């Protein structure tokens, strides 16, 4: 959301608050009445409907800290207002990443906003969506009470899985204050294979890939490319040798489906995924 939109939003609001921790957030909601608009970085304010002229706009962007990171357990606990890109940078030094690549991350999408919106990206094919990566959540309800679900270990089955309920709720059920995420090792090599294809060709080729042993990370069809009616783009990963073998196997599989594919250079692949 640009500066003009933010000022318009704030002018239409009865009150604007920017808490920086869970306790302050709970106190604000406990003392509030009327309608509330929960606002992260604003990358998905146009999704569905939202509160018009709210009595309170509550920004989560000051709640942007990494609370705990346990590289050995492959988990991280964060305040919900932290941008996903900042979190990825924080954990990259340990060779880890949150296996999530939504387009909105480049615009500053927050972890809480991604959970509330149910946003994901092409890597969902292998890793699942945000709902599959959250192992714990702390939320603040409309009356200011705090509820917790899950924990800090991946194999945790105690209690009701609140994160699954909140996934895609668009802020209508509670304010997401803190999130615990499972992490994955960052792959040493990622390669992209691309082939011109219309929708029918891409469907046939994608089904063949799904039935084969290659296990690609992402399989996407992009319509209306410079190559013609569209292109199928497939991402594979692993060690350098594994990724190269998977790329060659993907090219062979697509050839059997009647498509002429090639492995993209790193810069071209980055541009293709960015455009997509």
């Amino acid at each position: 959301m640009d500066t003009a939109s933010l000022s318009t939003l704030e002018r239409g609001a009865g009150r604007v608050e920017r808490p920086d921790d869970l306790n302050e957030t709970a106190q604000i909601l406990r003392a509030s009445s009327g309608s509330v608009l929960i606002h992260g970085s604003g990358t998905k304010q146009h999704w569905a409907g939202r509160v018009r002229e709210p009595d309170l706009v509550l920004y989560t962007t000051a709640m942007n800290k990494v609370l705990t990171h346990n590289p050995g357990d492959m988990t991280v606990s964060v305040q919900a207002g932290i941008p996903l890109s900042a979190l990825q940078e924080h954990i990259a030094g340990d060779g880890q990443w949150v296996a999530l690549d939504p387009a909105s991350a480049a615009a500053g999408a927050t972890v809480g906003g991604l959970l509330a919106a149910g946003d994901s990206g092409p890597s969902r094919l292998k890793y699942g969506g945000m709902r599959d990566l959250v192992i714990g959540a702390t939320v603040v309800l409309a009356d200011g009470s705090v509820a917790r679900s899950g924990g800090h270990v991946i194999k945790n089955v105690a209690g009701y899985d609140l994160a699954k309920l909140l996934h895609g709720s668009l802020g209508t059920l509670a304010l997401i204050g803190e999130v615990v995420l499972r992490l994955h090792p960052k792959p040493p090599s990622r390669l992209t294979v691309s082939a011109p294809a219309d929708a029918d060709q891409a469907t046939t080729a994608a089904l063949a890939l799904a039935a084969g042993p290659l296990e690609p990370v992402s399989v996407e069809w992009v319509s209306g490319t410079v190559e013609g009616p569209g292109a199928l783009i497939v991402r594979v990963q692993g060690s350098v040798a594994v990724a190269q073998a998977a790329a060659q196997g993907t090219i062979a599989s697509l050839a059997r489906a009647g498509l002429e594919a090639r492995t993209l250079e790193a810069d071209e692949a980055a541009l293709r995924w960015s455009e997509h």
Side-chain angles (χ1 to χ4, degrees), residues 36-164:
V36 178
L37 174 64
I38 302 168
H39 195 298
S41 62
T43 59
K44 284 171 281 292
Q45 284 293 307
H46 61 289
W47 284 30
R50 70 169 176 82
V51 180
R52 299 291 174 181
E53 297 186 357
D55 297 293
L56 169 65
V57 178
L58 203 158
Y59 288 92
T60 62
T61 46
M63 301 169 62
N64 58 6
K65 299 177 182 62
V66 174
L67 301 174
T68 58
H69 176 209
N70 298 307
D73 293 334
M74 303 286 285
T75 61
V76 65
S77 172
V78 299
Q79 291 182 312
I82 188 171
L84 177 63
S85 57
L87 174 56
Q88 301 283 34
E89 184 178 349
H90 181 89
I91 61 179
D94 290 291
Q96 298 175 345
W97 74 306
V98 179
L100 198 69
D101 51 1
S104 56
T110 63
V111 169
L114 291 167
L115 177 57
D119 196 7
S120 59
S123 292
R124 181 170 186 155
L125 178 66
K126 179 176 178 64
Y127 296 104
M130 185 65 156
R131 70 190 299 275
D132 304 295
L133 301 176
V134 175
I135 58 176
T138 302
V139 304
V140 185
L141 304 179
D143 63 356
S145 57
V146 176
R148 291 179 171 83
S149 172
H152 288 256
V153 293
I154 293 173
K155 292 184 178 179
N156 189 318
V157 295
Y160 185 81
D161 195 347
L162 227 97
K164 298 287 194 298

Side-chain angles (χ1 to χ4, degrees), residues 1-272:
M1 184 173 288
D2 59 24
T3 305
S5 298
L6 286 173
S7 61
T8 300
L9 175 62
E10 292 183 7
R11 280 200 301 270
R15 192 161 121 245
V16 175
E17 296 284 357
R18 292 179 172 83
D20 59 11
D21 63 30
L22 203 63
N23 290 334
E24 186 181 356
T25 302
Q27 290 172 6
I28 291 169
L29 287 176
R30 197 174 299 124
S32 70
S33 61
S35 58
V36 178
L37 174 64
I38 302 168
H39 195 298
S41 62
T43 59
K44 284 171 281 292
Q45 284 293 307
H46 61 289
W47 284 30
R50 70 169 176 82
V51 180
R52 299 291 174 181
E53 297 186 357
D55 297 293
L56 169 65
V57 178
L58 203 158
Y59 288 92
T60 62
T61 46
M63 301 169 62
N64 58 6
K65 299 177 182 62
V66 174
L67 301 174
T68 58
H69 176 209
N70 298 307
D73 293 334
M74 303 286 285
T75 61
V76 65
S77 172
V78 299
Q79 291 182 312
I82 188 171
L84 177 63
S85 57
L87 174 56
Q88 301 283 34
E89 184 178 349
H90 181 89
I91 61 179
D94 290 291
Q96 298 175 345
W97 74 306
V98 179
L100 198 69
D101 51 1
S104 56
T110 63
V111 169
L114 291 167
L115 177 57
D119 196 7
S120 59
S123 292
R124 181 170 186 155
L125 178 66
K126 179 176 178 64
Y127 296 104
M130 185 65 156
R131 70 190 299 275
D132 304 295
L133 301 176
V134 175
I135 58 176
T138 302
V139 304
V140 185
L141 304 179
D143 63 356
S145 57
V146 176
R148 291 179 171 83
S149 172
H152 288 256
V153 293
I154 293 173
K155 292 184 178 179
N156 189 318
V157 295
Y160 185 81
D161 195 347
L162 227 97
K164 298 287 194 298
L165 177 66
L166 294 169
H167 184 265
S169 63
L170 294 171
T172 59
L173 301 178
L175 181 145
I176 300 168
E178 297 174 2
V179 181
V180 185
L181 296 161
R182 66 177 300 184
L183 304 176
H184 287 82
K186 197 168 186 180
S189 177
R190 307 180 87 183
L191 296 175
T192 297
V193 171
S194 177
D198 61 27
D200 290 337
Q201 292 172 319
T203 299
T204 300
L207 289 172
L209 283 173
L214 294 172
E215 297 186 0
V217 180
S218 309
V219 178
E220 300 278 319
W221 180 67
V222 186
S223 63
T225 66
V226 293
E227 292 137 327
L232 187 69
I233 51 176
V234 181
R235 185 155 52 199
V236 296
Q237 68 182 29
S239 66
V240 173
V242 167
Q244 288 176 344
Q248 290 304 313
T250 299
I251 290 173
S253 176
L254 297 183
R256 289 191 292 272
L259 300 182
E260 185 177 348
R262 64 186 178 92
T263 301
L264 303 183
E265 296 294 333
D267 289 345
E268 186 181 2
L271 179 61
R272 174 57 61 86

